[in-house]
Amino acid sequence: SNLGDSRQILSEAIAKLKSLGEVKVSKLYQSPPMGPQDQPNYLNAVAQLKTELLPLDLLDQLQRFEQEAGRVRLRHWGERTLDLDLLIYGNEKIQNERLTVPHVGILQRDFVVIPLLDLDADLHINDQPLKNLELIQQPTLTVLADESWA
């Protein structure tokens, strides 16, 4: 989130995720925008959700939560009130017109990898241990709050 009261928007999103199952949340981070630089910094976190929902049903719920938060897609990688991505779904690999899991580009984004490591320091994606990725050596993000922020 980088529009509106981002911290409050993220807290509300976590509360909505809890309606879908058990949730564990990473630290809260601030990072520079990945796309156009003429926008505010982002607040980022990763949530681990244990749910019975199938992947596409979960994606539908995430997109509903985005809409409820006033999400408008103005430009690619542009500013937004809320962006909820389905990063991984257990050990499944999913590739269809609506969903790719693991999420495309996940291993190139420190604002995703570092919060994932908060939740599982030994996490592997595509047989790659995240803790060994070079991008975490010089992160572009800063910690704003610990695990109890949500």
Side-chain angles (χ1 to χ4, degrees):
S1 174
N2 74 339
L3 289 179
D5 185 346
S6 293
R7 193 174 185 139
Q8 180 64 31
I9 290 166
L10 292 177
S11 292
E12 289 171 5
I14 297 300
K16 289 179 180 184
L17 286 174
K18 289 179 180 177
S19 73
L20 304 178
E22 182 183 331
V23 175
K24 184 178 173 186
V25 182
S26 73
K27 296 174 185 171
L28 179 64
Y29 294 90
Q30 179 175 278
S31 66
M34 189 173 95
Q37 296 299 297
D38 63 339
Q39 59 181 314
N41 285 340
Y42 280 84
L43 296 191
N44 298 291
V46 169
Q48 178 184 37
L49 172 65
K50 292 184 181 179
T51 184
E52 298 296 320
L53 290 174
L54 295 173
L56 289 177
D57 294 332
L58 177 56
L59 180 63
D60 289 340
Q61 290 298 314
L62 298 178
Q63 290 175 342
R64 183 171 64 86
F65 295 162
E66 288 178 342
Q67 290 173 348
E68 289 171 354
R71 169 80 188 257
V72 178
R73 298 172 192 267
L74 300 174
R75 57 183 173 161
H76 187 58
W77 287 337
E79 48 280 293
R80 61 204 70 169
T81 52
L82 184 63
D83 184 21
L84 298 174
D85 290 325
L86 181 49
L87 300 170
I88 54 179
Y89 189 89
N91 293 318
E92 289 193 36
K93 294 187 187 317
I94 303 167
Q95 179 89 39
N96 64 51
E97 64 280 351
R98 291 194 57 214
L99 181 63
T100 300
V101 172
H103 191 281
V104 175
I106 195 171
L107 299 176
Q108 290 80 44
R109 297 174 180 166
D110 64 350
F111 61 88
V112 174
V113 170
I114 292 172
L116 279 169
L117 288 170
D118 287 347
L119 300 177
D120 183 351
D122 294 315
L123 184 63
H124 288 62
I125 295 179
N126 297 332
D127 297 321
Q128 172 72 47
L130 297 188
K131 65 184 175 187
N132 294 344
L133 292 174
E134 192 172 314
L135 65 87
I136 66 170
Q137 304 306 316
Q138 296 182 338
T140 63
L141 65 171
T142 55
V143 177
L144 294 182
D146 66 12
E147 293 85 350
S148 62
W149 70 269

